[in-house]
Amino acid sequence: MWSLYHHQHLPFSGLFRYRKPFSPFSANLFHGFKLNISNVRKRRGYRLRNRIFQVRALDEDTFNISLLDDWGIDEGTAGTLISSSDGEDSDGDFILNPVSDIDLPSGNVSTNDALTVTATRFAMIAKGRRKHRIRLGILNNLGLIVFLLALLLFVDWCAWKIVRQPLAPFYLSRPFFISTALVSIVGYLFVPFLNALKVHQNVRNEAPVRHHKKRGTPTMGGLFFIPIGIGVAKLIAGFSSVEVSGAAVATVAFASIGLLDDILSLIKNHNNGLSSQIKLFLELAAGTLFAFWLDTTSISSPYSMKMLIPLPAPLGLVCLGKCYLLLTSFCFVSMGTGVDLTDGLDGLAGGTAALAFVAMSIAVLPICSELAIFGASMAGACVGFLLHNRYRASIFMGDIGSLALGGGLAAMAACTGMFFPLFISSGFFFLETSSVIMQVAYFKATRWLSGAGHHLFRMAPFHHHLELCGFEEPTIVAGAYVVSCLLALVAGYVGLISA
């Protein structure tokens, strides 16, 4: 029921009930109503003054329909008569007549609670904003797919100029297409399966408030898109490629670490699986074993020697010797941790990882063309997963997916020496990792100096800081995609001129 009253908030002297109370949940308050000035009653000879009136919802028990007869209002008139105060400044009485019968949205809340009414209206607004964010998530996916396809088709078109030897048609586009199609199809079968098994995401208590609504979303999506990406690469590149086999084993090893972490998280029923120290130790162990495998295995290299890092002119080839092994271990740990920290928003880690894989595929194409197939296939697997992981996500990749992506990127760089293009294409991952390091260091330093620790960011990693600053998830993801697209172009170009 709606009422108009004096701007000085004076009490009502006449209270009336309307036969069919209107719902208080209308977004447009005066929709379907008109102010009937002809029915204005003037009392004590005072004229209606120009005043500002406010509209509020009152209790349905506030009005008494029996008093309508005293004012001589026809019972057939669908109006609500409201009186102002009886003071000398009384402005008169008003009647709101509905123009026609309308259906207003209703809610299961009490009309006696104005705060609940307000909250319901805001919820209706938020529902519209969610639909807007969902559309933004779809646009992010479309933009990413168009960019990756255009880039891969362009590289396939001029690949003979890059490699100086004939390659199969659609050399990089074909594994990308196949992996994308397979992952997107399998996802429609695998997501309900994980949901039925109640393999659900656990949200940290210290996470932003809006993330708590993600509880109950299936996780461990890496179980279906990581094997598809590896399998397609092995089938197309052939099982005789040592580099592809080594990258596949490294990806599986890091996926196993993530799987163990996810299983422990589900068993403990909270978001704490492996401790950070144990996880770092396992990543370091896997990276070190891969480095020793590189040292003892004969891999193809256009320079007839290993442990080289190609850099743009005038630096050229840089031989690190045994330091190459240390750099390899560091790269595995940093990439695994970086992708894992980035996996905090819908579509953020998958999209940025797909761009990094495409950049690495272009960079390693002149050195090891089979390994470029591995990168294109993994990028396609990430894009296929994004069809289920965009806002709002129906599944998360979990640590099994994020750690595997980091391990695969590091393996591509270690097998070819393309560490510099990797660091460029993974710039967003290093931003996320650096934000956590700076947050911890700044807090400890200020606590040691002043006795009270202070935060450099509102929350780390950096994407949570942007969330708390008021940015929406799809907006943050779109910005990350734009930055990663530029970094991917630069990384691919640097790799080509370095080879």
Side-chain angles (χ1 to χ4, degrees), residues 39-229:
N39 290 334
V40 173
R41 301 280 180 167
K42 303 181 181 63
R43 293 189 294 175
R44 298 192 182 101
Y46 291 99
R47 292 181 178 272
L48 178 65
R49 299 189 179 102
N50 294 329
R51 298 292 184 90
I52 298 175
F53 294 90
Q54 298 180 358
V55 182
R56 291 188 179 179
L58 300 180
D59 304 338
E60 67 177 7
D61 295 329
T62 304
F63 298 94
N64 189 349
I65 194 64
S66 62
L67 296 178
L68 287 174
D69 294 335
D70 296 337
W71 288 87
I73 297 178
D74 186 17
E75 292 182 356
T77 303
T80 303
L81 181 61
I82 304 166
S83 173
S84 64
S85 64
D86 290 333
E88 293 185 1
D89 291 332
S90 176
D91 291 334
D93 310 306
F94 302 90
I95 298 175
L96 287 176
N97 289 339
V99 176
S100 59
D101 294 336
I102 56 175
D103 294 328
L104 297 176
S106 59
N108 296 326
V109 296
S110 173
T111 57
N112 297 324
D113 192 348
L115 293 177
T116 306
V117 171
T118 304
T120 305
R121 292 178 183 170
F122 278 115
M124 294 174 65
I125 297 175
K127 184 177 180 180
R129 295 183 68 185
R130 283 198 298 270
K131 292 180 180 178
H132 175 68
R133 291 196 292 268
I134 290 174
R135 288 194 293 268
L136 287 178
I138 296 175
L139 291 177
N140 288 343
N141 267 16
L142 291 177
L144 179 66
I145 293 174
V146 169
F147 175 82
L148 291 177
L149 284 179
L151 182 59
L152 289 174
L153 290 174
F154 175 76
V155 173
D156 286 338
W157 175 67
C158 58
W160 63 275
K161 296 180 181 179
I162 299 174
V163 186
R164 306 289 183 181
Q165 61 183 2
L167 295 176
F170 302 104
Y171 189 76
L172 297 181
S173 303
R174 186 159 49 104
F176 179 85
F177 271 117
I178 296 174
S179 294
T180 301
L182 289 178
V183 172
S184 59
I185 293 173
V186 173
Y188 286 105
L189 304 175
F190 201 80
V191 172
F193 175 72
L194 288 178
N195 197 21
L197 294 179
K198 296 183 179 180
V199 183
H200 294 158
Q201 174 74 14
N202 295 316
V203 180
R204 296 179 301 170
N205 294 328
E206 62 271 18
V209 177
R210 67 180 66 178
H211 282 236
H212 291 277
K213 63 185 178 183
K214 297 183 179 182
R215 281 197 175 101
T217 304
T219 186
M220 297 173 64
L223 283 174
F224 73 93
F225 82 89
I226 295 296
I228 291 177

